[in-house]
Amino acid sequence: PITDADFNAMMSILAGASRVVFVNIVVDKPWQDPNNEVLSDGVARYSNTVIADWHTLESQHPGWVYSDGTHLPIGGQGAQALAALVASGA
């Protein structure tokens, strides 16, 4: 799990970055939603940040990931989609 303090610490390290892209998560663990909330709240506090909404995109394409529902085959369609999402600066 991550906290608001963790998010702030990451942003402190990235001070001066013109754009920071955070990718929200899809994982069958109890910390999925709280972590995504920390990311969303953090992005709201920093104008140079955005969320790449992998959670929504992956949920629309469950075949992109292995049977664990989280991990991507290297070079697979999901990996390509995730790379494009991050590159777009979502």
Side-chain angles (χ1 to χ4, degrees):
I2 59 173
T3 66
D4 288 329
D6 295 329
F7 190 97
N8 292 336
M10 287 185 276
M11 290 307 298
S12 177
I13 292 167
L14 296 167
S18 60
R19 189 164 188 82
V20 179
V21 179
F22 286 92
V23 179
N24 60 13
I25 59 171
V26 178
V27 61
D28 188 19
K29 299 290 181 186
W31 41 264
Q32 172 192 274
D33 292 341
N35 278 4
N36 285 342
E37 186 175 327
V38 167
L39 295 176
S40 181
D41 291 348
V43 165
R45 293 193 309 272
Y46 291 87
S47 61
N48 64 330
T49 62
V50 295
I51 289 276
D53 190 4
W54 177 245
H55 185 268
T56 297
L57 184 59
E58 189 275 333
S59 70
Q60 297 167 354
H61 303 277
W64 283 355
V65 296
Y66 287 119
S67 61
D68 68 1
T70 299
H71 295 97
L72 300 164
I74 295 173
Q77 193 173 10
Q80 297 299 318
L82 179 57
L85 179 66
V86 172
S88 75

